[in-house]
Amino acid sequence: MASSSSAATALAAPLRSTANRIPCCLCGTMIYANAANQCGACLAQQFDLKSVLQRGPGGAHDITVYQCRKCKRYERPSDSSSTSAGGTGRYDYFEPESPELLSLCLKHIPALRPGRGGEQKAQMAGIGSISVADAIWVWTEPHSMRFKVRLTVRAEVGG
């Protein structure tokens, strides 16, 4: 009777993962194997996503979103036009700090738009595809002409 009870307990125990853990190649922390064989902290130190995302067209540090001074509408660039040339798209009105305006700002980041040259810079830095996990507004002065956006991105690195 005792042997059947121990057999039932063994069957009820959760199965353990068969994945092997390896040490990180830089710091030695035990991790599950990945393409780079590095832990998250070492990957974050080696790859600089911030510099890839902050670069606008032509390598500028700021990304420009054009707004008409008279009607307060923002330029929405067409898919065929370049985001660096003003006056080529149509202008739409967006409420301040609205989800629609946030979407417009994200569309101006070259690294997030395929075919705009940003992915080439990312690949040169050893970064694969980049996708947005979360985006929120960061408070600025009410009369400021600058938008600040905090992004949380997911990227394939070292692949």
Side-chain angles (χ1 to χ4, degrees):
M1 206 52 145
S3 63
S4 65
S5 172
S6 64
T9 306
L11 290 175
L15 296 175
R16 293 188 179 183
S17 175
T18 59
N20 292 330
R21 295 179 64 164
I22 61 169
C24 172
C25 66
L26 297 177
C27 68
T29 302
M30 295 304 288
I31 60 168
Y32 292 107
N34 58 34
N37 289 332
Q38 295 179 6
C39 66
C42 292
L43 281 172
Q45 289 177 355
Q46 188 174 2
F47 296 99
D48 188 16
L49 281 173
K50 185 176 180 180
S51 66
V52 172
L53 291 172
Q54 280 187 336
R55 296 290 175 173
H61 282 286
D62 293 331
I63 297 171
T64 305
V65 177
Y66 294 100
Q67 180 186 29
C68 176
R69 291 180 186 239
K70 292 180 183 178
C71 65
K72 302 296 182 193
R73 293 176 183 226
Y74 296 95
E75 180 188 14
R76 177 177 291 197
S78 63
D79 291 335
S80 61
S81 69
S82 172
T83 57
S84 62
T88 57
R90 71 173 210 254
Y91 284 76
D92 292 327
Y93 179 77
F94 299 109
E95 289 290 328
E97 297 189 5
S98 67
E100 294 82 12
L101 184 57
L102 182 61
S103 173
L104 177 72
C105 291
L106 293 179
K107 288 179 184 176
H108 278 78
I109 301 174
L112 299 178
R113 295 187 69 194
R116 297 290 179 181
E119 69 277 357
Q120 294 169 351
K121 292 178 185 177
Q123 288 174 354
M124 287 176 27
I127 300 168
S129 64
I130 301 173
S131 61
V132 177
D134 187 31
I136 58 171
W137 292 107
V138 175
W139 185 84
T140 58
E141 291 292 329
H143 298 292
S144 174
M145 295 297 289
R146 294 184 185 265
F147 296 128
K148 290 188 179 183
V149 177
R150 178 170 293 146
L151 290 177
T152 304
V153 296
R154 186 173 302 261
E156 295 178 10
V157 294

